[in-house]
């Protein structure tokens, strides 16, 4: 979300025309892969809770939707805030759990009436795998994307990958009128080998604005698990950007 709520003239992307692509990232000993799409409905009859992972109803995947307003987590996944606090009140510009028009949009840009996580400058959200476990898949509904949105992946205390606003916005597929045309997408980060697993995720906002996400989905491995490529997936391309690479090619479309 931009605090100025500046409108952008972007066309609505329909589900049928949405491209689903995989983008590989390299630049260190680890290599993570990513898909982006408009997401899926957890329940086809409910379209006002934002977009979900296509894996949301599959065995072995865990989803936190923030709908009860509490800090999510269980004996496998821990959420915390770098300043140790969060808000469930009306919009205050503080990192916390909210319910307003800036909630990430649904599959067809529907208004999301459920609660979501908003991260603001100075108070990051930290997500950790507990008990020596690791993540091999993380999916999240993002939007309204704005400058400064940042997500980093760690393993054993070392940063291994980072996604920036520029990268996510260039790939995002859904433009929502309730966000003044700012873009939304469901991003899926996954490992392609045991070495690619990660144990911590940090969501942060660099500068003004906020980083809004919803419907976090995880697959938790035990070191030997190698996540398969989510389906459907088509190769989008490669190029170097801040230690990772994305090279623009003609986007292939799937029905």
């Amino acid at each position: 979300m931009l605090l100025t709520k500046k409108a952008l003239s972007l066309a609505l992307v329909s589900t049928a025309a949405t491209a689903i692509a995989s983008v590989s990232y390299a630049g260190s000993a680890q290599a993570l892969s990513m898909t982006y799409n408009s997401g899926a409905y957890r329940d086809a009859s409910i379209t006002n809770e934002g977009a979900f992972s296509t894996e949301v109803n599959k065995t072995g995947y865990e989803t936190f939707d923030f709908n009860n307003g509490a800090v999510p987590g269980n004996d496998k996944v821990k959420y915390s805030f770098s300043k140790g606090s969060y808000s469930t009140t009306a919009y205050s510009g503080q990192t916390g759990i909210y319910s307003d028009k800036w909630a990430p949009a649904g599959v067809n840009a529907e208004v999301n009436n459920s609660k979501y996580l908003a991260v603001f400058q100075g108070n990051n959200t930290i997500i950790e795998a507990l008990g020596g476990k690791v993540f091999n898949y993380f999916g999240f509904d993002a939007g309204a994307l704005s400058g400064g949105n940042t997500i980093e992946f760690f393993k054993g205390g070392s940063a291994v990958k980072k996604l920036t606003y520029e990268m996510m916005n260039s790939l995002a597929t859904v433009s929502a009128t309730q966000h003044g045309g700012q873009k939304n997408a469901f991003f899926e980060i996954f490992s392609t080998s045991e070495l690619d697993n990660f144990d911590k995720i940090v969501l942060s906002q660099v500068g003004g604005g906020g980083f809004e996400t919803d419907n976090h989905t995880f697959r938790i491995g035990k070191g030997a698990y190698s996540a398969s490529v989510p389906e459907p997936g088509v190769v989008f391309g490669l190029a170097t950007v801040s230690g990772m690479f994305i090279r623009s090619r003609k986007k292939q479309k799937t029905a």
Side-chain angles (χ1 to χ4, degrees):
M1 173 185 63
L2 293 176
L3 293 183
T4 59
K5 300 180 178 65
K6 182 179 180 182
L8 302 176
S9 57
L10 298 170
L12 177 67
V13 180
S14 69
T15 303
T18 298
I20 301 177
S22 66
V23 181
S24 295
Y25 291 98
S28 72
Q30 262 194 314
L32 295 178
S33 294
M34 180 177 78
T35 67
Y36 64 97
N37 52 61
S38 60
Y41 299 117
R42 177 166 57 186
D43 181 331
S45 67
I46 301 174
T47 62
N48 65 347
E49 293 187 352
F52 289 84
S53 168
T54 55
E55 319 298 319
V56 64
N57 294 317
K58 293 184 179 180
T59 301
Y61 291 83
E62 297 195 44
T63 296
F64 299 109
D65 58 19
F66 306 99
N67 289 353
N68 65 6
V71 178
N74 54 28
D75 60 345
K76 301 176 184 177
V77 182
K78 177 185 177 181
Y79 277 72
S80 61
F81 302 94
S82 60
K83 288 190 175 179
S85 63
Y86 77 102
S87 170
T88 57
T89 59
Y91 176 80
S92 63
Q94 301 296 315
T95 293
I97 299 169
Y98 292 88
S99 178
D100 56 35
K101 75 172 186 176
W102 297 107
V107 175
N108 291 305
E110 299 97 337
V111 172
N112 180 352
N113 293 319
S114 70
K115 293 182 173 64
Y116 69 95
L117 174 69
V119 177
F120 293 89
Q121 185 177 20
N123 193 5
N124 302 336
T125 294
I126 302 162
I127 308 167
E128 298 171 276
L130 299 177
K133 297 180 176 65
V134 290
F135 301 121
N136 44 56
Y137 172 94
F138 174 55
F140 62 103
D141 192 15
L145 289 166
S146 61
N149 294 172
T150 305
I151 180 168
E152 293 182 88
F153 299 86
F154 294 79
K155 186 175 184 181
S158 298
V160 292
K161 293 288 171 285
K162 179 166 73 173
L163 292 177
T164 65
Y165 160 74
E166 289 77 15
M167 298 174 68
M168 291 184 285
N169 195 60
S170 69
L171 301 173
T173 55
V174 175
S175 176
T177 56
Q178 67 269 26
H179 298 155
Q182 288 172 257
K183 295 170 75 176
N184 296 248
F186 199 93
F187 294 96
E188 300 174 292
I189 312 299
F190 57 95
S191 64
T192 54
S193 77
E194 178 183 348
L195 296 176
D196 301 335
N197 294 333
F198 46 98
D199 55 22
K200 185 170 75 172
I201 304 163
V202 176
L203 285 74
S204 60
Q205 175 63 26
V206 181
F211 188 11
E212 295 84 20
T213 65
D214 199 2
N215 303 330
H216 294 183
T217 295
F218 301 89
R219 181 70 185 260
I220 301 168
K222 297 181 179 179
Y225 180 83
S226 177
S228 60
V229 177
E231 295 293 341
V234 294
V235 175
F236 183 68
L238 313 169
T240 301
V241 180
S242 300
M244 297 182 284
F245 60 92
I246 291 181
R247 185 179 56 202
S248 180
R249 289 181 181 172
K250 184 177 180 180
K251 189 185 301 181
Q252 301 179 46
K253 295 184 178 180
T254 61

